[in-house]
Amino acid sequence: MMVNMDVAIAYMDQLRKKGVTYSMAGSRTGADGTADCSGVVYAALLKGGAKPYGYVVSTETEHEWLLLNCFHCIAHNQEWTMQRGDLLIFGEKGHSAGAGGHTAIAIDSLRVIHCNDTANGVSIDAETSLPYSLGWYVYRQQVAQTRDKPTISATPGLIWLPESASFRLQLPIHLRTAPSTKAAIIATLPANSVVKYDAYAYYEGHVWIRQARANHQYGYLATGECQGNRRTSYWGTFF
C-alpha cells in the first residue's frame, strides 16, 4: 500500500497550527501536545497509511521503517531535485541518535515541514536551512519492485533490507559465508577496507551487510552489535 503523503503533510500542518511544542521527553508524536522531529514524521506517515514499526522511530531506525514502507534512498550526501513528499534524514547512520540527527518532509521543491527546537514546534522552512553539515539521506516513495522489497530468508528471523552503500572498517573483521559468527571465514579484511553492499540485516545480535560476489554468491560482514533492531555499536563507518 502506498502512503498518502498529502494526508501525512496535512497532519503535520495540523500539529503546527495546533501549536505542539518541541520535546524529546514526551510522547514525541504530538499526542500529549509535545513532539520531536522523528516522532512527528512517524505519526504523520501513519496517518497517511504507513505500516507501524512497533514503536516510535528515531532518526536511526527511520531508515529501516521507510524501506519497509516502499521508500527508496535516492540520495546520500549528494544533490537531488527535491519534490513534495521526499523524506529527509540528517546525521550519518550510527551518529544521529538524540540531538545528533534531524528529519523533515518536503512540501514542494523549496520548503520542508518539520518539528524543531528553533521553532519550539512544527514549522515550515526553506530546505536550505536544514543541517546538511551532519550528512543527509533522501528517501522517496516508489511502487515496490521485487528487487526493492525486503527479502525474507528461509532462516527464521532473518530479513534482508535492500540498501546500496559502502562500509569502511575501523578494525579487522571476518568476511563469512553466512550471517553468523560461527560461519566459515572467507577472508579477514584489514582496517580501512571498504565493502560495498546491497542489503543489511539484524541477526543474532549483530548488524550484517551482504556483499555480492562471483557466481551469485555472497559474503557477509558483521558491522557492529545490536539488540533486536537497535544498533548498539559500530565497527566502521557507512557512506
Side-chain angles (χ1 to χ4, degrees), residues 10-20 40 113-114 121-124:
Y11 182 72
M12 284 190 72
D13 200 39
Q14 288 178 26
L15 294 178
R16 180 180 70 87
K17 294 173 180 176
K18 187 177 179 181
V20 298
V40 79
I113 188 166
H114 59 144
V122 179
S123 62
I124 295 174

Side-chain angles (χ1 to χ4, degrees), residues 8-84:
I9 292 169
Y11 182 72
M12 284 190 72
D13 200 39
Q14 288 178 26
L15 294 178
R16 180 180 70 87
K17 294 173 180 176
K18 187 177 179 181
V20 298
T21 56
Y22 182 85
S23 173
M24 297 173 62
S27 69
R28 300 182 48 228
T29 63
D32 62 352
T34 68
D36 69 8
C37 63
S38 52
V40 79
V41 164
Y42 181 72
L45 264 65
L46 289 183
K47 289 290 184 180
K51 298 176 183 177
Y53 193 63
Y55 56 85
V56 180
V57 299
S58 66
T59 48
E60 284 291 309
T61 53
E62 187 178 348
H63 297 273
E64 293 89 15
W65 178 59
L66 291 175
L67 288 169
L68 291 169
N69 279 283
C70 298
F71 287 80
H72 180 68
C73 185
I74 63 167
H76 176 209
N77 293 342
Q78 62 186 31
E79 293 184 5
W80 87 105
T81 302
M82 192 169 77
Q83 66 181 42
R84 182 177 175 85

Side-chain angles (χ1 to χ4, degrees), residues 80-99:
W80 87 105
T81 302
M82 192 169 77
Q83 66 181 42
R84 182 177 175 85
D86 284 353
L87 268 294
L88 288 68
I89 304 177
F90 296 87
E92 294 294 334
K93 292 180 183 178
H95 304 281
S96 72

Side-chain angles (χ1 to χ4, degrees), residues 175-191:
L175 185 69
R176 298 181 181 271
T177 58
S180 171
T181 55
K182 298 178 181 179
I185 298 171
I186 298 173
T188 300
L189 305 181

Side-chain angles (χ1 to χ4, degrees), residues 196-209:
K196 293 183 178 181
Y197 65 97
D198 66 2
Y200 66 97
Y202 299 95
Y203 190 62
E204 292 187 344
H206 292 87
V207 185
W208 295 88
I209 56 175

Side-chain angles (χ1 to χ4, degrees), residues 92-93 95 166-170 223 234-239:
E92 294 294 334
K93 292 180 183 178
H95 304 281
S166 298
F167 180 77
R168 186 184 301 277
L169 286 62
Q170 292 179 349
T223 64
Y234 290 79
W235 301 332
T237 304
F238 293 92
F239 64 96

